[in-house]
Each structure stands twice: as structure tokens, then as C-alpha cells.
Amino acid sequence: MSDVAFPPRTWATAFLGIARRETLRFVNQRGRFLAALVRPLVWLFIFAAGFRAVLGMSITPPYQTYVLYEVYVTPGLCAMIQLFNGMQSSLSMVYDRETGAMRTLLVSPFPRWFLLASKLVAGVMVSIIQVYTFLAIAWFWDIRPPVWGYVAVLPALMLSGLMLGAMGLFLSSAIRQLENFAGVMNFVIFPMFFASSALYPLWRMRESSVLLHDICALNPFTHAVELIRFALYLQVNWLSLAVVLGCLAGFFGAAVFMYDPGRGIFSRRKGAA
């Protein structure tokens, strides 16, 4: 059945059904919402406060003056929320595959790219709610970007969330057991977070190690952080935008390929059987 066989209302109904399922899962898992906020708040209130006197920040774009360390790390903590949320959303894909719900979804008459994209967008919408809740708490901690920055950052959050979610989606396609994915999450999340510009600017990395600087510069998470950072201050980092869009296309294309019953994980299972 071709894509044009469905009227627009049918596509919208299918998307809303997937989004509703993700929303209900999020609402019923209140601990997930609190856990998503505890991690960045610990960094903001404890680590950043302790590092303030040691790690002073010089003037670096997009900032026009010296900033406190907690101001600098806030965009990175926003991206951290999206990274964890993307991985947790993909963890649910592994669970659905073990219970058989994933196969039920993928055998529907809608194209596979649409089903995966709908789940991806629904997960990003949940992460954006978490990020804005974190920014609201940070506002009371005197971390206050321009008012319009809260609006300008929305497209950046959407793109970075889609990229990180697509990466998790691709990883979930290659992992068959729930226990294995939990280990991979830690193996991926922490190196990506620490080897990025989330906690320290790249010029400071270069002073310590050129190799470490190059690794951080190539890290897609770095560009997600910088895209959010510049957007909060009403600017666009064009290099980061290009990298995020390219990685989004690559990860999502790979995920669609891997979830193809004729080529991806299901074909490997069939061959093994």
C-alpha cells in the first residue's frame, strides 16, 4: 500500500495514537520525570557551586561578558536531559520488542519511517517539557537568559532532541536484550557527556590535550549543546546546526534500515532461527 492511500486525517490519527501512548507512559512513570530533573539539578546546585571559584569562565561566544560557571553549564544540562530521555525512550523500544508490541506496530500499513518518526517526535515533546521545567527552576537560581531566548531555544531543543533520540533509536535496533541495553546506555551517555563542551569550553580542553579537544569537537553531543547555548542567547551556531542536522539524518536513516524486517534486526533473527 502506498503512502498516498491514506488521507491526512488518518496520518494525524496514527501519530496522535503513538503520541498518546508515549504520554501515558510518561504520566504513569512519575519517577522518570523526577529522575530526569534530579541529575541536572545536582550538577547545578552542588557541583557548579563548588566549581565556581575554581573554574571561572572568560568571555566566549555567545556570552558578551564574564559568566558564572553555573550559567555556562546550564545549556549542557538541558542537553543532558534530552540525552537521558532519548536513551530511556529507546529502552522502551527494546522492551516493546521483547513483549511483541514492537512487531505489532511495525506490521501496520503505515510506512516504517513514519511510525519511527512519530515515536521519536513524541519522545522529544516529553523531553522538552522536562527541559523547560529545569529552566524554570534554574531561573530562581538567577540563571536568566534573555526572555526571548526561552522561545528561540525551542527549535534548537527540537532538533537536538530528535538527533539524540534518533541515536538511541539506532542503538536500540542493534540490541536484542533489555539487560544489554542498560549497560550500553551507561557506556554511551557518560563518555558523550564528559567528552563535550557541556562542562568546559573547547578552548580549555585544547590547553589540556589537543587529542581530547579533537574528540570533543567531533562529538555530536557537543554540537547539540552549542546549538542550545547559542539559541538561548538569540544566536545561531551554524556549524553546530549543520552537524546536528547531518547526524539526525544519519542516525534516523540507519534506524529505519535496521528496523526493516527484510534487512535489519528481524532478518537476522529469522536467519538465526
Side-chain angles (χ1 to χ4, degrees), residues 65-85:
T65 183
Y66 293 93
V67 295
L68 297 175
Y69 182 68
E70 52 261 43
V71 174
Y72 177 83
V73 299
T74 295
L77 298 179
C78 293
M80 175 204 277
I81 294 174
Q82 294 195 303
L83 178 60
F84 273 90
N85 186 82

mmCIF file of all heavy atoms in Angstrom, residues 65-85:
data_model
loop_
_atom_site.group_PDB
_atom_site.id
_atom_site.type_symbol
_atom_site.label_atom_id
_atom_site.label_comp_id
_atom_site.label_asym_id
_atom_site.label_seq_id
_atom_site.Cartn_x
_atom_site.Cartn_y
_atom_site.Cartn_z
ATOM 1 N N THR A 65 29.942 38.870 28.181
ATOM 2 C CA THR A 65 30.716 39.255 29.354
ATOM 3 C C THR A 65 31.105 37.993 30.116
ATOM 4 O O THR A 65 30.782 36.882 29.692
ATOM 5 C CB THR A 65 29.892 40.190 30.257
ATOM 6 O OG1 THR A 65 30.711 40.613 31.370
ATOM 7 C CG2 THR A 65 28.665 39.492 30.795
ATOM 8 N N TYR A 66 31.803 38.160 31.215
ATOM 9 C CA TYR A 66 32.146 37.011 32.053
ATOM 10 C C TYR A 66 30.873 36.414 32.655
ATOM 11 O O TYR A 66 29.958 37.146 33.041
ATOM 12 C CB TYR A 66 33.111 37.424 33.165
ATOM 13 C CG TYR A 66 34.472 37.834 32.666
ATOM 14 C CD1 TYR A 66 34.766 39.161 32.398
ATOM 15 C CD2 TYR A 66 35.463 36.880 32.455
ATOM 16 C CE1 TYR A 66 36.019 39.546 31.929
ATOM 17 C CE2 TYR A 66 36.718 37.244 31.985
ATOM 18 C CZ TYR A 66 36.991 38.578 31.723
ATOM 19 O OH TYR A 66 38.225 38.945 31.254
ATOM 20 N N VAL A 67 30.828 35.104 32.731
ATOM 21 C CA VAL A 67 29.651 34.434 33.282
ATOM 22 C C VAL A 67 30.094 33.481 34.379
ATOM 23 O O VAL A 67 31.235 32.995 34.398
ATOM 24 C CB VAL A 67 28.886 33.648 32.191
ATOM 25 C CG1 VAL A 67 28.313 34.591 31.153
ATOM 26 C CG2 VAL A 67 29.767 32.590 31.533
ATOM 27 N N LEU A 68 29.180 33.222 35.291
ATOM 28 C CA LEU A 68 29.435 32.238 36.332
ATOM 29 C C LEU A 68 29.408 30.834 35.736
ATOM 30 O O LEU A 68 28.806 30.588 34.686
ATOM 31 C CB LEU A 68 28.396 32.357 37.443
ATOM 32 C CG LEU A 68 28.385 33.682 38.220
ATOM 33 C CD1 LEU A 68 27.219 33.705 39.210
ATOM 34 C CD2 LEU A 68 29.701 33.907 38.928
ATOM 35 N N TYR A 69 30.043 29.918 36.445
ATOM 36 C CA TYR A 69 30.144 28.560 35.921
ATOM 37 C C TYR A 69 28.766 27.920 35.764
ATOM 38 O O TYR A 69 28.510 27.205 34.786
ATOM 39 C CB TYR A 69 31.016 27.712 36.844
ATOM 40 C CG TYR A 69 31.222 26.305 36.348
ATOM 41 C CD1 TYR A 69 31.968 26.053 35.201
ATOM 42 C CD2 TYR A 69 30.653 25.221 37.015
ATOM 43 C CE1 TYR A 69 32.160 24.765 34.738
ATOM 44 C CE2 TYR A 69 30.845 23.934 36.554
ATOM 45 C CZ TYR A 69 31.593 23.705 35.414
ATOM 46 O OH TYR A 69 31.772 22.425 34.955
ATOM 47 N N GLU A 70 27.850 28.172 36.697
ATOM 48 C CA GLU A 70 26.532 27.569 36.599
ATOM 49 C C GLU A 70 25.745 28.093 35.389
ATOM 50 O O GLU A 70 24.920 27.377 34.823
ATOM 51 C CB GLU A 70 25.723 27.779 37.880
ATOM 52 C CG GLU A 70 25.651 29.210 38.354
ATOM 53 C CD GLU A 70 26.659 29.486 39.458
ATOM 54 O OE1 GLU A 70 27.812 29.010 39.299
ATOM 55 O OE2 GLU A 70 26.296 30.152 40.447
ATOM 56 N N VAL A 71 26.027 29.324 34.985
ATOM 57 C CA VAL A 71 25.396 29.849 33.778
ATOM 58 C C VAL A 71 25.921 29.105 32.556
ATOM 59 O O VAL A 71 25.170 28.774 31.631
ATOM 60 C CB VAL A 71 25.652 31.360 33.648
ATOM 61 C CG1 VAL A 71 25.117 31.890 32.319
ATOM 62 C CG2 VAL A 71 25.010 32.111 34.806
ATOM 63 N N TYR A 72 27.231 28.844 32.557
ATOM 64 C CA TYR A 72 27.830 28.163 31.408
ATOM 65 C C TYR A 72 27.302 26.732 31.259
ATOM 66 O O TYR A 72 27.038 26.276 30.140
ATOM 67 C CB TYR A 72 29.359 28.131 31.543
ATOM 68 C CG TYR A 72 30.022 27.378 30.420
ATOM 69 C CD1 TYR A 72 30.279 28.001 29.207
ATOM 70 C CD2 TYR A 72 30.348 26.028 30.566
ATOM 71 C CE1 TYR A 72 30.849 27.294 28.162
ATOM 72 C CE2 TYR A 72 30.927 25.328 29.533
ATOM 73 C CZ TYR A 72 31.178 25.962 28.326
ATOM 74 O OH TYR A 72 31.739 25.264 27.286
ATOM 75 N N VAL A 73 27.157 25.993 32.358
ATOM 76 C CA VAL A 73 26.807 24.575 32.257
ATOM 77 C C VAL A 73 25.319 24.345 32.021
ATOM 78 O O VAL A 73 24.924 23.231 31.670
ATOM 79 C CB VAL A 73 27.243 23.795 33.526
ATOM 80 C CG1 VAL A 73 28.742 23.881 33.710
ATOM 81 C CG2 VAL A 73 26.506 24.293 34.761
ATOM 82 N N THR A 74 24.482 25.364 32.189
ATOM 83 C CA THR A 74 23.036 25.167 32.060
ATOM 84 C C THR A 74 22.625 24.611 30.696
ATOM 85 O O THR A 74 21.830 23.660 30.635
ATOM 86 C CB THR A 74 22.292 26.475 32.346
ATOM 87 O OG1 THR A 74 22.500 26.833 33.720
ATOM 88 C CG2 THR A 74 20.801 26.331 32.095
ATOM 89 N N PRO A 75 23.122 25.140 29.560
ATOM 90 C CA PRO A 75 22.748 24.522 28.272
ATOM 91 C C PRO A 75 23.177 23.064 28.166
ATOM 92 O O PRO A 75 22.449 22.234 27.600
ATOM 93 C CB PRO A 75 23.476 25.394 27.237
ATOM 94 C CG PRO A 75 23.687 26.706 27.924
ATOM 95 C CD PRO A 75 23.926 26.362 29.357
ATOM 96 N N GLY A 76 24.352 22.738 28.706
ATOM 97 C CA GLY A 76 24.787 21.347 28.686
ATOM 98 C C GLY A 76 23.894 20.452 29.515
ATOM 99 O O GLY A 76 23.655 19.294 29.159
ATOM 100 N N LEU A 77 23.367 20.972 30.615
ATOM 101 C CA LEU A 77 22.462 20.183 31.447
ATOM 102 C C LEU A 77 21.114 20.003 30.762
ATOM 103 O O LEU A 77 20.459 18.975 30.947
ATOM 104 C CB LEU A 77 22.295 20.858 32.806
ATOM 105 C CG LEU A 77 23.586 20.981 33.634
ATOM 106 C CD1 LEU A 77 23.312 21.683 34.959
ATOM 107 C CD2 LEU A 77 24.204 19.602 33.874
ATOM 108 N N CYS A 78 20.692 20.999 29.981
ATOM 109 C CA CYS A 78 19.474 20.832 29.179
ATOM 110 C C CYS A 78 19.658 19.696 28.174
ATOM 111 O O CYS A 78 18.766 18.859 27.992
ATOM 112 C CB CYS A 78 19.143 22.128 28.442
ATOM 113 S SG CYS A 78 18.659 23.510 29.500
ATOM 114 N N ALA A 79 20.815 19.672 27.520
ATOM 115 C CA ALA A 79 21.095 18.592 26.566
ATOM 116 C C ALA A 79 21.219 17.255 27.278
ATOM 117 O O ALA A 79 20.861 16.208 26.717
ATOM 118 C CB ALA A 79 22.367 18.908 25.788
ATOM 119 N N MET A 80 21.722 17.265 28.527
ATOM 120 C CA MET A 80 21.794 16.025 29.304
ATOM 121 C C MET A 80 20.405 15.432 29.515
ATOM 122 O O MET A 80 20.210 14.216 29.388
ATOM 123 C CB MET A 80 22.445 16.280 30.658
ATOM 124 C CG MET A 80 22.450 15.053 31.572
ATOM 125 S SD MET A 80 22.562 15.451 33.314
ATOM 126 C CE MET A 80 24.319 15.668 33.493
ATOM 127 N N ILE A 81 19.442 16.281 29.813
ATOM 128 C CA ILE A 81 18.072 15.803 29.983
ATOM 129 C C ILE A 81 17.591 15.119 28.715
ATOM 130 O O ILE A 81 16.983 14.037 28.752
ATOM 131 C CB ILE A 81 17.146 16.979 30.359
ATOM 132 C CG1 ILE A 81 17.511 17.531 31.742
ATOM 133 C CG2 ILE A 81 15.682 16.541 30.331
ATOM 134 C CD1 ILE A 81 16.743 18.776 32.133
ATOM 135 N N GLN A 82 17.873 15.738 27.578
ATOM 136 C CA GLN A 82 17.423 15.154 26.317
ATOM 137 C C GLN A 82 18.160 13.862 25.986
ATOM 138 O O GLN A 82 17.573 12.940 25.419
ATOM 139 C CB GLN A 82 17.615 16.168 25.189
ATOM 140 C CG GLN A 82 16.726 17.395 25.328
ATOM 141 C CD GLN A 82 16.643 18.197 24.056
ATOM 142 O OE1 GLN A 82 17.649 18.628 23.518
ATOM 143 N NE2 GLN A 82 15.438 18.385 23.557
ATOM 144 N N LEU A 83 19.436 13.798 26.341
ATOM 145 C CA LEU A 83 20.203 12.585 26.094
ATOM 146 C C LEU A 83 19.648 11.418 26.902
ATOM 147 O O LEU A 83 19.425 10.323 26.368
ATOM 148 C CB LEU A 83 21.674 12.821 26.431
ATOM 149 C CG LEU A 83 22.621 11.630 26.283
ATOM 150 C CD1 LEU A 83 22.629 11.129 24.845
ATOM 151 C CD2 LEU A 83 24.030 11.993 26.738
ATOM 152 N N PHE A 84 19.413 11.630 28.189
ATOM 153 C CA PHE A 84 18.860 10.567 29.026
ATOM 154 C C PHE A 84 17.453 10.193 28.566
ATOM 155 O O PHE A 84 17.089 9.014 28.555
ATOM 156 C CB PHE A 84 18.840 11.001 30.492
ATOM 157 C CG PHE A 84 20.115 10.710 31.226
ATOM 158 C CD1 PHE A 84 21.134 11.644 31.267
ATOM 159 C CD2 PHE A 84 20.314 9.505 31.870
ATOM 160 C CE1 PHE A 84 22.320 11.388 31.936
ATOM 161 C CE2 PHE A 84 21.495 9.219 32.540
ATOM 162 C CZ PHE A 84 22.500 10.169 32.573
ATOM 163 N N ASN A 85 16.661 11.194 28.201
ATOM 164 C CA ASN A 85 15.296 10.899 27.768
ATOM 165 C C ASN A 85 15.296 10.105 26.469
ATOM 166 O O ASN A 85 14.499 9.173 26.300
ATOM 167 C CB ASN A 85 14.516 12.195 27.592
ATOM 168 C CG ASN A 85 13.048 11.948 27.289
ATOM 169 O OD1 ASN A 85 12.240 11.716 28.177
ATOM 170 N ND2 ASN A 85 12.684 11.993 26.014
#
